[in-house]
């Protein structure tokens, strides 16, 4: 079994904690409880080649109250930037975070466009979105609420790790 | 040498149970990661201290919040792992409010922006009287943002139920229709008002509506000119939303960060902020410093509850 560290990053309240909770425990809560610091969850994934133990780092939302901390990325094999499709601001912030990550780490990055169960924000133009998606290895539409796309995203990332 | 109190550490670092010396195993990935930095510090053999930042561990029966420090002092190396309670809760509460507030602000500006974009699109279509346009009327009746459309001379053409609802208050008899009231508040509170209209600019800001005996309302107001192809102003678009709640949250948040939880007195941060403000004013002032002897006793005996 190999172990891989995956970091979830993004603005606050985009659904980082909820995505992990859905993936690891199959639970979703409507209530928003903001995370402080870091919490690490583990989950084993069987890929075609081997079993991967994902160490999933849930990192406090990056906003005006908590800055980006490069040290959390040490030893990471991949990162996911989570955005909330009902708040276009979270996409702008996600892009800023991406730039900061790329300055310190050269690892695969994935984009989660979360809350796909809700209507999308009004002014993400297709071209802007396309440009953003290009900057990532892959993007996923996810809903931590219904679970849509969540399992798929993490297992894809695990699979990439074994290639 | 290992010293500990509380059995949470036995569960987290079971390899330390009953031992004086041990190797920390892989139970806490976060701590393990921090030990890399800690070892760096210890190896330098220079006095110093580094902090791990807060993290959470799920034990079998409880969720615990921890913070570790590595210390090097007098050729001794220490690792201190603290279980946080009050400190964590206070920080969590403060940030909870702050972040909920960020969310509401985001949501409101999102609505404003969307509405402007849509209306601008609809209104700039070149077919006559806009107020009568079906899509506009429909969009307006559905949004919960207060909207008024005025002509170039600031006469009301159309306003929606949400706008009337903002000022609807059975206790207060309004002597002006909502659009006139907004204009009046805007003129009274912002001297740049006339310049906005004469230069056909956009403006966004907050106006305060005092409506005794009620609490008063903070309203976020956006004003946008809608221009024809020849760049002449055809209409003015006002959109208004109630941000009183956000203001209130903001204040509560300031209270949490600036007042001591035990005594409810202004705290150190409050003091420094005030001092800074005073200094900025660039005028001489006096500072009276009073030290209460043995106040620590009070904090120690009551502060931990
Ligand atoms: N409808 C819907 N709501 C979601 C979804 N994901 C998260 N939420 C809600 O969004 C809010 C924030 O979710 P969290 O998972 O706490 O967000 P976070 O990114 O961990 O936030 P911070 O820890 O503050 O950075 C909560 O109220 C969740 O219930 C989703 O896919 N759909
Ligand atoms: Mg969280």
């Amino acid at each position: 079994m190999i172990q891989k560290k995956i970091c979830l990053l993004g603005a606050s309240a985009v659904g980082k904690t909820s995505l992990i909770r859905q993936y690891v425990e199959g639970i979703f809560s409507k209530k928003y409880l903001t995370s402080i610091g870091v919490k690490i969850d583990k989950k084993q994934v069987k890929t075609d080649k081997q079993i991967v133990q994902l160490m999933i780092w849930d990192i406090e939302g990056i906003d005006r109250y908590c800055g980006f901390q490069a040290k959390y990325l040490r030893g990471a094999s991949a990162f996911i930037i989570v955005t909330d499709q009902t708040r276009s601001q979270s996409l702008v912030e996600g892009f800023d975070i991406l730039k900061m990550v790329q300055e310190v780490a050269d690892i695969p990055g994935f984009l989660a466009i979360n809350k796909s169960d809700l209507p999308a924000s009004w002014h993400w133009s297709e071209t802007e979105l396309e440009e953003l998606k290009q900057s990532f290895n892959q993007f996923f539409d996810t809903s931590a609420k219904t679970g849509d796309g969540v399992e798929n995203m993490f297992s894809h990332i695990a699979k990439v790790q074994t290639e | 040498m290992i010293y500990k109190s509380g059995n949470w550490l036995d569960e987290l670092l079971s390899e330390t149970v009953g031992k004086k010396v041990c190797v920390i195993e892989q139970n806490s990935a976060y701590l393990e990661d921090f030990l890399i930095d800690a070892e760096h510090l210890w190896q330098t053999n220079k006095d110093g201290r580094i902090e791990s930042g807060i993290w959470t561990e799920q034990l079998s029966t409880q969720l615990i919040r921890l913070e570790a420090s590595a210390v090097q002092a007098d050729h001794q190396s220490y690792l201190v792992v603290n279980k946080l309670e009050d400190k964590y809760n206070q920080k969590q509460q403060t940030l909870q409010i702050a972040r909920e507030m960020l969310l509401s602000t985001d949501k409101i500006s999102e609505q404003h922006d969307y509405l402007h974009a849509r209306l601008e699109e609809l209104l700039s279509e070149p077919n006559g009287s806009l107020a009568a346009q079906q899509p506009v009327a429909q969009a307006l009746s559905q949004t919960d943002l207060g909207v008024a459309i005025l002509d170039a001379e600031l006469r009301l053409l159309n306003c929606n139920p949400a706008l009337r609802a903002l000022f609807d208050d059975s206790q207060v008899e309004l002597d002006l229709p909502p659009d006139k009231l907004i204009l009046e508040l805007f003129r009274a509170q912002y001297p740049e008002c006339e310049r906005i209209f004469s230069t056909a600019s956009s403006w966004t800001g907050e106006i305060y509506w005092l409506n005794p005996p009620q609490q008063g309302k903070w309203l976020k107001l956006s004003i946008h000119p809608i221009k024809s192809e020849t760049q002449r102003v055809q209409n003015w678009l006002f959109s208004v939303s109630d941000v009183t709640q956000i203001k209130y949250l903001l204040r509560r948040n300031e209270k949490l960060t600036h007042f001591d939880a035990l005594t409810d007195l202004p705290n150190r941060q409050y003091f420094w902020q005030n001092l800074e403000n005073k200094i900025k004013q660039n005028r001489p002032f006096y500072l009276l410093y009073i030290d209460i002897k043995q106040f620590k006793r009070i904090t120690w005996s009551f502060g931990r509850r």
Side-chain angles (χ1 to χ4, degrees):
Chain A
M1 188 176 73
I2 52 166
Q3 242 186 29
K4 294 288 174 182
K5 169 173 172 181
I6 314 289
C7 291
L8 267 81
L9 301 164
S12 38
V14 292
K16 298 177 293 298
T17 304
S18 302
L19 281 170
I20 298 172
R21 215 143 172 241
Q22 175 61 259
Y23 178 56
V24 177
E25 301 172 60
I27 302 173
F28 173 76
S29 156
K30 254 185 79 168
K31 194 165 158 13
Y32 173 40
L33 195 68
T34 187
S35 308
I36 308 295
V38 173
K39 181 165 184 283
I40 304 171
D41 276 284
K42 299 174 197 169
K43 180 150 171 160
Q44 290 188 5
V45 190
K46 269 203 202 89
T47 68
D48 302 337
K49 298 196 178 108
Q50 56 187 321
I51 297 175
V52 183
Q53 163 126 294
L54 294 182
M55 309 287 289
I56 309 171
W57 284 49
D58 180 7
I59 298 169
E60 175 166 355
I62 296 166
D63 57 18
R64 74 172 82 162
Y65 304 107
C66 172
F68 170 72
Q69 305 229 31
K71 67 171 184 192
Y72 290 147
L73 288 164
R74 178 168 60 199
S77 303
F79 64 96
I80 305 175
I81 289 182
V82 184
T83 59
D84 170 352
Q85 69 158 355
T86 70
R87 274 187 302 140
S88 36
Q89 187 56 28
S90 75
L91 184 70
V92 177
E93 282 161 26
F95 207 47
D96 289 343
I97 296 168
L98 174 68
K99 284 187 219 134
M100 293 188 281
V101 175
Q102 284 172 339
E103 268 171 32
V104 295
D106 185 20
I107 49 177
F110 299 88
L111 173 67
I113 302 177
N114 192 36
K115 307 201 186 178
S116 64
D117 56 292
L118 298 174
S121 169
W122 303 296
H123 45 267
W124 288 13
S125 84
E126 275 309 312
T127 45
E128 275 170 338
L129 209 54
E130 237 8 85
E131 191 189 324
L132 184 66
K133 288 173 181 170
Q134 298 281 321
S135 321
F136 290 88
N137 285 50
Q138 183 121 12
F139 80 93
F140 299 89
D141 286 306
T142 58
S143 166
K145 185 175 175 182
T146 63
D148 276 349
V150 179
E151 172 103 40
N152 178 37
M153 172 173 74
F154 283 104
S155 33
H156 176 86
I157 293 172
K159 198 174 129 231
V160 171
Q161 297 302 319
T162 61
E163 275 159 10
Chain B
M1 291 294 275
I2 299 163
Y3 299 87
K4 52 190 166 173
S5 69
N7 41 20
W8 54 271
L9 197 61
D10 288 346
E11 189 175 343
L12 183 69
L13 302 174
S14 51
E15 62 272 27
T16 65
V17 176
K19 300 242 179 75
K20 289 206 164 144
V21 179
C22 76
V23 177
I24 293 195
E25 286 162 23
Q26 303 193 334
N27 275 331
S28 169
Y30 191 86
L31 189 60
E32 210 184 318
D33 181 74
F34 177 60
L35 283 174
I36 301 174
D37 296 327
E39 261 157 30
H40 265 288
L41 172 75
W42 294 331
Q43 270 158 19
T44 61
N45 216 2
K46 271 187 270 170
D47 286 6
R49 177 194 185 96
I50 52 168
E51 310 273 346
S52 69
I54 298 175
W55 86 99
T56 300
E57 293 279 353
Q58 176 70 60
L59 301 185
S60 58
T61 55
Q62 55 177 336
L63 203 63
I64 56 173
R65 321 290 180 176
L66 302 169
E67 194 170 32
S69 357
V71 183
Q72 180 71 18
D74 299 332
H75 306 289
Q76 298 283 335
S77 307
Y78 304 91
L79 174 69
V80 183
V81 183
N82 259 317
K83 182 173 169 226
L84 307 176
E85 276 163 16
D86 296 349
K87 183 181 165 188
Y88 180 87
N89 290 339
Q90 219 172 44
K91 186 162 185 197
Q92 206 282 336
Q93 266 180 28
T94 307
L95 280 172
Q96 183 73 37
I97 293 169
R99 290 188 169 139
E100 278 172 15
M101 200 179 72
L102 277 187
L103 278 184
S104 343
T105 321
D106 263 14
K107 204 174 141 214
I108 289 176
S109 38
E110 197 105 21
Q111 281 181 333
H112 275 251
D113 291 353
Y114 170 64
L115 197 89
H116 286 143
R118 286 290 292 140
L119 285 178
E120 207 145 13
E121 209 176 283
L122 286 168
L123 293 176
S124 54
E125 277 165 20
N127 54 355
S129 158
L130 64 104
Q133 278 178 27
Q134 190 61 18
V136 178
Q138 232 164 32
L140 289 190
S141 69
Q142 275 166 21
T143 174
D144 50 2
L145 198 65
V147 182
I149 300 173
L150 292 80
D151 68 11
E153 277 73 51
L154 296 172
R155 282 180 302 239
L156 183 71
L157 296 174
N158 198 345
C159 78
N160 69 348
L163 185 76
R164 286 187 289 271
L166 277 175
F167 295 97
D168 188 19
D169 192 329
S170 52
Q171 307 215 23
V172 192
E173 195 69 39
L174 285 185
D175 43 13
L176 286 173
D179 61 299
K180 291 275 186 315
L181 183 58
I182 293 168
L183 266 174
E184 189 165 281
L185 293 172
F186 182 42
R187 288 207 163 98
Q189 293 170 23
Y190 292 93
E192 73 255 44
C193 165
E194 293 312 326
R195 188 183 51 82
I196 306 295
F197 293 122
S198 61
T199 58
S201 324
S202 296
W203 185 88
T204 297
E206 282 163 7
I207 56 175
Y208 186 65
W209 178 43
L210 191 64
N211 53 339
Q214 304 293 76
Q215 282 261 298
K217 272 185 185 173
W218 282 100
L219 302 169
K220 178 175 166 152
L221 169 66
S222 293
I223 297 178
H224 267 256
I226 291 169
K227 297 177 185 169
S228 67
E229 273 167 24
T230 58
Q231 294 305 306
R232 261 199 34 226
V233 174
Q234 281 184 316
N235 300 99
W236 287 96
L237 179 66
F238 286 18
S239 51
V240 189
S241 51
D242 189 344
V243 292
T244 314
Q245 188 69 10
I246 296 175
K247 284 267 176 199
Y248 167 75
L249 282 173
L250 189 64
R251 232 178 287 148
R252 223 178 100 195
N253 191 37
E254 264 166 18
K255 187 147 167 46
L256 277 172
T257 42
H258 291 306
F259 290 81
D260 178 65
L262 174 66
T263 57
D264 219 10
L265 292 172
N267 64 11
R268 213 175 289 249
Q269 267 141 302
Y270 183 93
F271 169 75
W272 286 112
Q273 200 180 58
N274 266 275
L275 190 63
E276 262 171 34
N277 290 343
K278 270 267 175 280
I279 292 170
K280 271 192 213 130
Q281 287 171 2
N282 229 344
R283 263 180 302 187
F285 62 93
Y286 293 97
L287 180 66
L288 179 63
Y289 183 93
I290 305 175
D291 195 9
I292 305 178
K293 281 253 152 72
Q294 320 213 310
F295 190 71
K296 269 221 169 69
R297 275 196 205 158
I298 310 255
T299 348
W300 280 342
S301 35
F302 299 103
R304 296 230 135 241
R305 284 192 307 194

